[in-house]
C-alpha cells in the first residue's frame, strides 16, 4: 500500500502507527455503512454553493437592510465555557464518507480512481505530520497516493522536475507541494510549472484570480479557505451582510479567505503585521478568521461578544508529554475566546480535518474532470 511506500522513505513512530490504525478502523466502519446506504448515483458532497451562483448585482437602496440572524451581544462572561465548539473533525468525517462513496462509484463505473501526488522537501516534523495525514486520508477513501521526499538542500531544478513529471502522469490527477519550503526555493516558480488542471491546493494564480473576479469560477479553491467557508455553512452561520475580519494575508489562507468571504457577500477587513491597533478592528468582526501562526495572538479582549472565531493557526510547541514530542497551538487564546465568542474552532480538531477533506474533494473533482465522469 502507498502508506508502506511512504514509510520506507520516512521514519514513523510506532505510537503514530497504533493511533492511525485506530482511526482507520473507525473511519472504515463509518464509510462502509455510508456506502451501503448510498445509491449508485452521485451524491452532493459539499453544502457550499458555486461562487458564480452567488453573484448578484449590487443594488443600493435606502431600505437595503438584511433580516438575517444577528449575533447576540448578551453573552455570559462567567468563567464557564459558553461558546459552542465547532467540531471540524465530525464535519470532515461526514464529507470523507461521501467522497469514499463517489470514489467507489467511479471505480465500479470506469475502473479508475483519483490519484494524488505529494512532494515534500526537508524533514520538518509538522510537515511530516500533515503529509502522513493526507496519505492516510487518501487510503481511507480509496484514492491512490504517492509521496516524493526530497532533501532539504535539493535544487530548484530537482523540485520542478518532480512537479513536471507528475504533470504528465495520467494516473495522477492532483499534485501538491507541501509548504513551507526551504528559503532557497521559489514557490512562485512551482505555480508556473504546476498544471492548472492538477492544482488541487488551489494556489495557481489563475485559480486565485478567478476567486477574486465575479462571474468566474476557479477550477479549485484553496483547501483551507474552502474548508473555513464549508465549516461556517454547515454550522448554520450567516455570512451575507456580516462584518468579517481576516488576520493574515498569505497567498495560502489569508488572501483567498478574504476573497471568498467577499464572494459570499460579507464586508471584509484584513489585519496584517503593519496594521495599527488590530484589536480595534477585530472587535468589530461578526466572523473572525485568523491564520498567522502566532500562538495566542488573539486574546479575549480582541473579540466582539458573540463573534464566530475560526482559528487556522497551527504552531508546533515542544511538549515531551505528547506522542510526537510537540503539540499544536492556535492563534487564539482558546480559554479566553470561549468566554466571549458564540462559536469557536479548537486546535487541533477544527479547520485541520476540514482542510484535508477539501483536498480530497478537489482531487476527486480533478479526476472526474480528467475522465469526463459525472
Amino acid at each position: 500500500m502507498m502508506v508502506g511506500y511512504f514509510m520506507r522513505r520516512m521514519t514513523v513512530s510506532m505510537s503514530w502507527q497504533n493511533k492511525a490504525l485506530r482511526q482507520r478502523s473507525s473511519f472504515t466502519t463509518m464509510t462502509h455503512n455510508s456506502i451501503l446506504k448510498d445509491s449508485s448515483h452521485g451524491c452532493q458532497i459539499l453544502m457550499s454553493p458555486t461562487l458564480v451562483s452567488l453573484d448578484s448585482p449590487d443594488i443600493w437602496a435606502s431600505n437595503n437592510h438584511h433580516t438575517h440572524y444577528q449575533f447576540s451581544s448578551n453573552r455570559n462572561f462567567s468563567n464557564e465555557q459558553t461558546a459552542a465548539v465547532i467540531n471540524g473533525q465530525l464535519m470532515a468525517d461526514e464529507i470523507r464518507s461521501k467522497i469514499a462513496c463517489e470514489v467507489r462509484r467511479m471505480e465500479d463505473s470506469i475502473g479508475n480512481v483519483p490519484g494524488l501526488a505529494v512532494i515534500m522537501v526537508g524533514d520538518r516534523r509538522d510537515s511530516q505530520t500533515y503529509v502522513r495525514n493526507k496519505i492516510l486520508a487518501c487510503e481511507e477513501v480509496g484514492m491512490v497516493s504517492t509521496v516524493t521526499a526530497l532533501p532539504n538542500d535539493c535544487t530548484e531544478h530537482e523540485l520542478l522536475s518532480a512537479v513536471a513529471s507528475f504533470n504528465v502522469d495520467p494516473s495522477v490527477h492532483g499534485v501538491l507541494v507541501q509548504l513551507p519550503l526551504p528559503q532557497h526555493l521559489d514557490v512562485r516558480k512551482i505555480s508556473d510549472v504546476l498544471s492548472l488542471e492538477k492544482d488541487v491546493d488551489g494556489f495557481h494564480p489563475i485559480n486565485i484570480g478567478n476567486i477574486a473576479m465575479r462571474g468566474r469560477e476557479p477550477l479549485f479553491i484553496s483547501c483551507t479557505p474552502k474548508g473555513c467557508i464549508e465549516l461556517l455553512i454547515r454550522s448554520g452561520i450567516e455570512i451575507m451582510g456580516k462584518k468579517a475580519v481576516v488576520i493574515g494575508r498569505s497567498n495560502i489562507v489569508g488572501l483567498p479567505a478574504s476573497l471568498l468571504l467577499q464572494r459570499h457577500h460579507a464586508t471584509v477587513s484584513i489585519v496584517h503585521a503593519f496594521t495599527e491597533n488590530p484589536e480595534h478592528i477585530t472587535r468589530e468582526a461578526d466572523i473572525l478568521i485568523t491564520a498567522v501562526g502566532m500562538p495566542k495572538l488573539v486574546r479575549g479582549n480582541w473579540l466582539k461578544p458573540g463573534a464566530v472565531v475560526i482559528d487556522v493557526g497551527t504552531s508546533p510547541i515542544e511538549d515531551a508529554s505528547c506522542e510526537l514530542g510537540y503539540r499544536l497551538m492556535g492563534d487564539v487564546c482558546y480559554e479566553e475566546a470561549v468566554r466571549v465568542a458564540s462559536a469557536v474552532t479548537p486546535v487541533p480538531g477544527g479547520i485541520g480535518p476540514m482542510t484535508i477533506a477539501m483536498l480530497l474533494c478537489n482531487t476527486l473533482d480533478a479526476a472526474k474532470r480528467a475522465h469526463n465522469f459525472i
Side-chain angles (χ1 to χ4, degrees):
M1 292 186 295
M2 297 315 302
V3 170
Y5 167 83
F6 181 73
M7 290 171 62
R8 285 196 300 272
R9 306 192 68 159
M10 307 182 69
T11 302
V12 181
S13 67
M14 184 60 70
S15 61
W16 175 84
Q17 293 180 51
N18 293 335
K19 181 179 180 182
L21 287 171
R22 292 193 300 270
Q23 292 174 339
R24 183 185 309 170
S25 175
S26 173
F27 183 82
T28 300
T29 301
M30 180 185 67
T31 299
H32 175 69
N33 293 337
S34 179
I35 289 174
L36 290 177
K37 289 187 292 183
D38 229 304
S39 68
S40 60
H41 301 290
C43 59
Q44 180 178 340
I45 294 174
L46 301 182
M47 292 185 179
S48 300
T50 62
L51 296 184
V52 170
S53 71
L54 296 169
D55 291 340
S56 59
D58 284 344
I59 301 175
W60 295 82
S62 59
N63 62 345
N64 188 21
H65 298 296
H66 299 290
T67 58
H68 302 295
Y69 171 78
Q70 299 292 324
F71 295 107
S72 171
S73 60
N74 298 319
R75 302 295 297 168
N76 177 11
F77 295 100
S78 69
N79 289 328
E80 297 180 1
Q81 178 173 317
T82 58
V85 178
I86 302 176
N87 191 331
Q89 184 65 64
L90 188 62
M91 296 181 191
D93 285 347
E94 180 180 346
I95 292 168
R96 284 163 59 170
S97 68
K98 291 184 177 181
I99 291 172
C101 293
E102 281 295 277
V103 172
R104 179 74 164 269
R105 186 174 70 91
M106 186 175 181
E107 183 175 22
D108 291 343
S109 299
I110 64 174
N112 294 105
V113 298
L116 175 69
V118 181
I119 302 172
M120 192 177 76
V121 181
D123 55 0
R124 283 178 58 115
R125 289 187 302 174
D126 54 339
S127 291
Q128 290 177 357
T129 299
Y130 300 147
V131 170
R132 283 197 300 267
N133 290 340
K134 291 170 183 176
I135 296 302
L136 180 59
C138 284
E139 182 178 301
E140 287 171 342
V141 300
M143 294 183 181
V144 174
S145 58
T146 184
V147 176
T148 294
L150 299 176
N152 193 70
D153 60 352
C154 75
T155 66
E156 201 165 72
H157 175 74
E158 289 174 319
L159 175 57
L160 297 179
S161 294
V163 173
S165 67
F166 288 128
N167 279 347
V168 297
D169 186 341
S171 68
V172 172
H173 305 100
V175 180
L176 71 85
V177 178
Q178 182 65 38
L179 301 178
L181 292 172
Q183 291 185 350
H184 71 282
L185 299 173
D186 190 345
V187 176
R188 293 173 299 180
K189 292 184 179 180
I190 296 171
S191 297
D192 293 338
V193 171
L194 179 59
S195 168
L196 178 64
E197 291 76 17
K198 297 188 179 186
D199 174 40
V200 290
D201 253 342
F203 296 157
H204 196 287
I206 293 178
N207 279 322
I208 296 292
N210 283 336
I211 297 176
M213 298 181 67
R214 294 174 60 158
R216 292 181 178 270
E217 192 79 37
L219 286 180
F220 305 102
I221 297 175
S222 306
C223 299
T224 298
K226 183 175 182 177
C228 290
I229 296 297
E230 181 71 15
L231 185 149
L232 289 171
I233 291 174
R234 285 176 177 263
S235 300
I237 296 164
E238 184 66 59
I239 302 175
M240 179 184 290
K242 299 302 178 183
K243 293 181 180 179
V245 172
V246 178
I247 305 179
R249 52 180 176 177
S250 71
N251 293 336
I252 299 173
V253 180
L255 173 61
S258 64
L259 295 174
L260 276 177
L261 287 165
Q262 284 194 79
R263 291 292 292 268
H264 282 261
H265 307 296
T267 301
V268 183
S269 299
I270 299 174
V271 170
H272 49 76
F274 299 96
T275 301
E276 294 184 1
N277 301 317
E279 65 276 15
H280 294 169
I281 299 173
T282 59
R283 275 199 292 267
E284 295 294 317
D286 298 313
I287 300 170
L288 177 67
I289 298 178
T290 175
V292 294
M294 182 174 293
K296 295 190 175 183
L297 168 70
V298 179
R299 308 306 297 255
N301 61 2
W302 283 41
L303 304 176
K304 175 182 179 179
V308 175
V309 181
I310 308 298
D311 190 353
V312 180
T314 51
S315 301
I317 305 299
E318 295 287 338
D319 189 340
S321 65
C322 296
E323 292 183 30
L324 299 174
Y326 68 92
R327 58 190 172 90
L328 297 178
M329 183 174 291
D331 293 344
V332 178
C333 182
Y334 184 83
E335 297 79 8
E336 295 178 8
V338 294
R339 298 199 296 268
V340 182
S342 64
V344 61
T345 58
V347 176
I351 194 60
M354 288 294 285
T355 296
I356 294 180
M358 296 305 103
L359 172 64
L360 297 176
C361 194
N362 283 351
T363 304
L364 175 62
D365 288 344
K368 285 185 172 183
R369 192 177 294 120
H371 292 286
N372 295 315
F373 181 73
I374 300 175

